[in-house]
Coordinates of all heavy atoms in Angstrom, one line a residue:
I1 N 97.4 51.1 -173.3 CA 98.1 52.3 -173.5 C 98.0 52.7 -175.0 O 97.8 53.9 -175.3 CB 99.6 52.2 -173.1 CG1 99.7 52.0 -171.6 CG2 100.4 53.4 -173.5 CD1 101.1 51.5 -171.2
A2 N 98.2 51.7 -175.9 CA 98.0 52.0 -177.3 C 96.7 52.5 -177.7 O 96.5 53.4 -178.4 CB 98.4 50.7 -178.1
A3 N 95.6 51.8 -177.1 CA 94.2 52.3 -177.4 C 94.0 53.7 -176.9 O 93.3 54.5 -177.6 CB 93.3 51.3 -176.8
R4 N 94.5 54.0 -175.7 CA 94.2 55.3 -175.2 C 94.9 56.4 -176.0 O 94.4 57.5 -176.1 CB 94.7 55.3 -173.7 CG 94.6 56.7 -173.0 CD 94.8 56.6 -171.5 NE 96.1 56.0 -171.2 CZ 97.3 56.6 -171.2 NH1 97.4 57.8 -171.5 NH2 98.4 55.9 -170.8
K5 N 96.1 56.1 -176.5 CA 96.9 57.1 -177.3 C 96.6 57.1 -178.8 O 97.1 57.9 -179.5 CB 98.4 56.9 -177.0 CG 98.8 57.2 -175.5 CD 100.3 57.3 -175.4 CE 100.7 57.8 -174.1 NZ 102.1 58.1 -174.0
G6 N 95.8 56.1 -179.2 CA 95.5 56.0 -180.6 C 96.7 55.5 -181.4 O 96.9 55.9 -182.6
L7 N 97.6 54.7 -180.8 CA 98.8 54.2 -181.5 C 98.6 52.7 -181.7 O 97.8 52.0 -181.1 CB 100.0 54.4 -180.6 CG 100.3 55.9 -180.3 CD1 101.5 55.9 -179.3 CD2 100.7 56.7 -181.5
S8 N 99.5 52.1 -182.5 CA 99.5 50.7 -182.7 C 100.3 50.1 -181.5 O 101.2 50.7 -180.9 CB 100.1 50.3 -184.0 OG 101.5 50.6 -184.0
V9 N 100.0 48.8 -181.2 CA 100.7 48.1 -180.1 C 102.2 48.0 -180.6 O 103.1 48.1 -179.7 CB 100.1 46.7 -179.9 CG1 101.0 45.9 -178.9 CG2 98.7 46.9 -179.3
H10 N 102.5 47.9 -181.9 CA 103.8 47.8 -182.4 C 104.6 49.0 -182.0 O 105.8 49.0 -181.6 CB 103.8 47.6 -183.9 CG 105.2 47.5 -184.5 ND1 106.1 46.5 -184.4 CD2 105.9 48.5 -185.3 CE1 107.2 46.7 -185.0 NE2 107.1 47.9 -185.6
T11 N 104.0 50.2 -182.2 CA 104.7 51.5 -181.9 C 105.0 51.6 -180.4 O 106.1 52.0 -180.0 CB 103.8 52.7 -182.3 OG1 103.6 52.6 -183.7 CG2 104.4 54.0 -181.9
V12 N 104.0 51.1 -179.6 CA 104.2 51.2 -178.1 C 105.3 50.2 -177.7 O 106.2 50.5 -176.8 CB 102.9 50.9 -177.4 CG1 103.1 50.8 -175.9 CG2 101.9 52.0 -177.7
R13 N 105.4 49.0 -178.3 CA 106.5 48.1 -178.0 C 107.8 48.7 -178.4 O 108.8 48.5 -177.6 CB 106.2 46.8 -178.8 CG 105.1 45.9 -178.2 CD 105.1 44.6 -178.9 NE 103.9 43.8 -178.5 CZ 103.8 43.2 -177.3 NH1 104.8 43.2 -176.5 NH2 102.7 42.5 -177.0
N14 N 107.9 49.4 -179.5 CA 109.2 50.0 -179.8 C 109.6 51.1 -178.8 O 110.8 51.2 -178.4 CB 109.1 50.7 -181.2 CG 109.1 49.7 -182.3 OD1 109.6 48.6 -182.2 ND2 108.6 50.0 -183.5
Q15 N 108.6 51.8 -178.3 CA 108.9 52.8 -177.2 C 109.4 52.1 -176.0 O 110.3 52.5 -175.3 CB 107.7 53.6 -176.9 CG 107.3 54.6 -178.0 CD 106.1 55.4 -177.6 OE1 105.3 55.0 -176.7 NE2 105.8 56.5 -178.3
L16 N 108.8 50.9 -175.7 CA 109.2 50.2 -174.5 C 110.6 49.6 -174.6 O 111.4 49.6 -173.7 CB 108.2 49.0 -174.3 CG 108.5 48.1 -173.1 CD1 108.4 49.0 -171.8 CD2 107.5 47.0 -173.0
R17 N 111.0 49.2 -175.8 CA 112.4 48.7 -176.0 C 113.4 49.8 -175.7 O 114.4 49.6 -175.1 CB 112.6 48.2 -177.5 CG 111.8 46.9 -177.8 CD 112.2 46.3 -179.1 NE 111.4 45.2 -179.5 CZ 110.3 45.3 -180.3 NH1 110.0 46.4 -180.8 NH2 109.6 44.2 -180.5
T18 N 113.2 51.0 -176.2 CA 114.1 52.1 -176.0 C 114.1 52.5 -174.5 O 115.1 52.9 -173.9 CB 113.8 53.3 -176.8 OG1 112.5 53.8 -176.5 CG2 113.9 53.0 -178.3
T19 N 112.9 52.4 -173.8 CA 112.8 52.7 -172.4 C 113.6 51.6 -171.6 O 114.4 52.0 -170.7 CB 111.4 52.7 -172.0 OG1 110.6 53.6 -172.7 CG2 111.2 53.0 -170.5
F20 N 113.5 50.4 -172.0 CA 114.3 49.3 -171.3 C 115.8 49.6 -171.5 O 116.6 49.5 -170.5 CB 114.0 48.0 -172.0 CG 112.8 47.3 -171.5 CD1 112.2 46.3 -172.3 CD2 112.1 47.6 -170.3 CE1 111.0 45.7 -171.9 CE2 111.0 47.0 -169.9 CZ 110.4 46.0 -170.7
A21 N 116.2 50.0 -172.7 CA 117.6 50.2 -172.9 C 118.2 51.4 -172.1 O 119.3 51.3 -171.5 CB 117.9 50.5 -174.4
K22 N 117.4 52.5 -172.0 CA 117.9 53.6 -171.2 C 117.9 53.4 -169.7 O 118.7 54.0 -169.0 CB 117.0 54.8 -171.6 CG 117.2 55.4 -173.0 CD 116.3 56.5 -173.3 CE 116.4 57.1 -174.7 NZ 115.6 58.3 -175.0
T23 N 117.0 52.6 -169.2 CA 116.9 52.3 -167.8 C 117.6 51.1 -167.4 O 117.6 50.7 -166.2 CB 115.4 52.2 -167.4 OG1 114.8 51.2 -168.1 CG2 114.6 53.5 -167.6
H24 N 118.2 50.4 -168.3 CA 119.0 49.2 -168.0 C 118.1 48.1 -167.4 O 118.5 47.4 -166.5 CB 120.2 49.5 -167.1 CG 121.1 50.6 -167.6 ND1 121.8 50.5 -168.7 CD2 121.2 51.8 -167.2 CE1 122.5 51.6 -169.0 NE2 122.1 52.5 -168.0
T25 N 116.9 48.0 -167.9 CA 115.9 47.0 -167.5 C 115.6 46.1 -168.7 O 115.9 46.5 -169.8 CB 114.6 47.6 -166.9 OG1 114.0 48.5 -167.8 CG2 114.9 48.3 -165.6
H26 N 115.0 44.9 -168.4 CA 114.7 44.0 -169.5 C 113.3 43.5 -169.5 O 112.9 42.9 -170.5 CB 115.7 42.8 -169.4 CG 117.1 43.2 -169.4 ND1 117.8 43.5 -170.5 CD2 118.0 43.2 -168.3 CE1 119.1 43.8 -170.2 NE2 119.2 43.6 -168.9
R27 N 112.6 43.7 -168.4 CA 111.2 43.2 -168.3 C 110.3 44.4 -167.7 O 110.8 45.2 -167.0 CB 111.1 42.0 -167.4 CG 111.8 40.8 -167.9 CD 111.1 40.2 -169.1 NE 111.6 38.9 -169.5 CZ 112.6 38.8 -170.4 NH1 113.1 39.9 -171.0 NH2 113.1 37.6 -170.8
Q28 N 109.0 44.3 -167.9 CA 108.1 45.3 -167.4 C 108.2 45.4 -165.9 O 108.1 46.4 -165.3 CB 106.7 45.1 -167.9 CG 106.5 45.3 -169.4 CD 105.1 45.1 -169.8 OE1 104.1 45.4 -169.1 NE2 104.8 44.7 -171.1
H29 N 108.2 44.2 -165.3 CA 108.2 44.2 -163.8 C 109.5 44.8 -163.2 O 109.4 45.4 -162.1 CB 108.0 42.8 -163.3 CG 109.2 41.9 -163.4 ND1 110.3 41.8 -162.5 CD2 109.6 41.0 -164.4 CE1 111.2 41.0 -162.9 NE2 110.8 40.4 -164.1
Q30 N 110.6 44.8 -164.0 CA 111.8 45.4 -163.5 C 111.7 46.9 -163.6 O 112.1 47.7 -162.8 CB 113.0 44.9 -164.4 CG 113.4 43.5 -164.1 CD 114.4 43.0 -165.1 OE1 114.6 43.5 -166.2 NE2 115.2 42.0 -164.7
L31 N 111.0 47.4 -164.7 CA 110.8 48.8 -164.9 C 109.9 49.4 -163.8 O 110.1 50.5 -163.2 CB 110.2 49.1 -166.3 CG 109.9 50.5 -166.6 CD1 111.2 51.4 -166.6 CD2 109.2 50.6 -168.0

């Protein structure tokens, strides 16, 4: 995802953390 969007993996991980928080999930498989 990071490579396709031209972002760092760190930026994508930060987006994932906020996504987890908003959806009340904690792991990718839960999302």
Side-chain angles (χ1 to χ4, degrees):
I1 296 168
R4 175 168 55 81
K5 293 193 170 187
L7 301 173
S8 69
V9 174
H10 177 73
T11 298
V12 175
R13 287 190 187 280
N14 284 337
Q15 290 179 345
L16 181 59
R17 290 191 188 98
T18 59
T19 303
F20 281 159
K22 290 180 179 180
T23 57
H24 307 291
T25 56
H26 305 282
R27 295 286 187 272
Q28 290 184 32
H29 72 86
Q30 293 173 333
L31 181 60

